[in-house]
Amino acid sequence: MRRWIVLALGLALTTAAVARNPQFQGADPHAMFIDGELWVFPTGGPGGSWAADRFGAFSSRDLRRWRSRGVVLRRDQIKWIGDDGATEHFLWAPGVATRDGKWYIYYSVGPQNPTPSRIGVAVSDRPQGPYRDIGHPLVTGGNGYEAIDPMVFVDPKSQIAYLYAGGSAGAKLRVWELSRDMITIAREIPINQPPEFTEGAFVHERAGVYYLSYSHGHWNGPDYSVHYATAASPVGPWTYRGAILTSDARHQGPGHHSFARTPAGDWLIVYHRWDQAAGPAPFRGERQIAIDRVRYAADGSIRPIVMTDGDNAPTLPLVKP
Ligand code: FUB
């Protein structure tokens, strides 16, 4: 029955009136272009039926019409999830990576208290799954470190894969080198903590510069925002460059984002925000996924992102400049 509901919602998403910013309900979107199409792997999803017990994927060629790719992983497929003895578990903040024809989805597993949060990883032959969990946690939090918000970046220069993770109350970023198999930790890399870091790390490389961007503030408050730092390597040392995405008069608490390079070589930022947040923080209700243009200055710095609504949202192919 549930499968039919998900399929029906997927169809509704495919045939619904074209989307504009905000694109659809969801949070923590990990986005990437696959064969010319923008894929988004979020926490939750459109229609209110995407609970914390599974992940879905959604794709679009034009950033208007979205296609549901169905459920990619369910909580009941993660056999180790109950090993912490907690009575309830939930999944959030996935990060996806690919190497050698395989696809990997990394994810946060809660609760964070009283047991430590954990990061899992599952493997597939296709981006839409089905993904198979590897059978044990990849990282377990503890001692003040919250193992959440995983993101994997494969350095195009060295082909080394790095796992970045951590956040919330611990507000600590940790970085590991993964083995070639993408499912084994090779070693942890000591780093300097980036200023204003709270969670939701993302790394991209452009013209030889490595950009580490991340959320700052409270996830359900107006101070939630995206900041960034740059370095000459994927692991720093980073130079803090400031905030690029902050609340404005119409949108509150933008954060947990990803950068995606279009087939034409331009960059988009895919993030969540609270549209029409009701009352003072902490905000309640649902976060919405939005997409906007990223513009770089000649010196490589990122210009402040302008959050758009409705038809002002970017479409593909992007209109220059
Ligand atoms: O979606 C749950 C949490 O909210 C994530 O872990 C954070 O990055 C924040 O977006």
Side-chain angles (χ1 to χ4, degrees), residues 27-28 43 92-93 108 148-149 168 199-200 215 219 224 256 272 287:
D28 312 327
T43 299
W92 78 99
S108 319
I148 63 170
D149 294 356
S168 282
E199 57 198 6
S215 305
W219 68 278
Y224 211 51
H256 204 131
H272 73 234
R287 293 165 289 180

Side-chain angles (χ1 to χ4, degrees), residues 131-152:
Y131 287 82
R132 297 172 305 281
D133 179 82
I134 63 167
H136 56 83
L138 185 60
V139 177
T140 299
N143 298 320
Y145 174 70
E146 297 190 12
I148 63 170
D149 294 356
M151 186 270 166
V152 168

Side-chain angles (χ1 to χ4, degrees), residues 177-198:
E177 182 180 324
L178 294 177
S179 301
R180 182 85 199 180
D181 66 9
M182 300 288 274
I183 59 171
T184 310
I185 300 282
R187 66 184 177 113
E188 181 165 2
I189 299 170
I191 57 154
N192 62 318
Q193 288 298 305
E196 310 293 352
F197 177 83
T198 299

Side-chain angles (χ1 to χ4, degrees), residues 73 75-84 91 104-109 116-123 131-141 147 150 163 178-179 181-186:
L73 182 71
R75 180 172 57 193
D76 63 11
Q77 296 169 316
I78 304 169
K79 299 304 176 201
W80 49 267
I81 204 162
D83 291 355
D84 62 351
L91 310 178
Y104 303 87
I105 186 166
Y106 303 83
Y107 39 89
S108 319
V109 176
S117 52
R118 294 162 291 173
I119 289 171
V121 56
V123 188
Y131 287 82
R132 297 172 305 281
D133 179 82
I134 63 167
H136 56 83
L138 185 60
V139 177
T140 299
L163 167 66
L178 294 177
S179 301
D181 66 9
M182 300 288 274
I183 59 171
T184 310
I185 300 282

Side-chain angles (χ1 to χ4, degrees), residues 175-248:
V175 182
W176 294 267
E177 182 180 324
L178 294 177
S179 301
R180 182 85 199 180
D181 66 9
M182 300 288 274
I183 59 171
T184 310
I185 300 282
R187 66 184 177 113
E188 181 165 2
I189 299 170
I191 57 154
N192 62 318
Q193 288 298 305
E196 310 293 352
F197 177 83
T198 299
E199 57 198 6
F202 191 91
V203 172
H204 74 283
E205 181 269 343
R206 178 182 177 272
V209 176
Y210 293 85
Y211 295 80
L212 168 69
S213 42
Y214 43 88
S215 305
H216 162 79
H218 298 90
W219 68 278
N220 54 2
D223 63 337
Y224 211 51
S225 49
V226 176
H227 297 232
Y228 80 110
T230 54
S233 94
V235 294
W238 287 292
T239 302
Y240 178 66
R241 307 292 289 267
I244 48 171
L245 187 55
T246 55
S247 292
D248 64 20

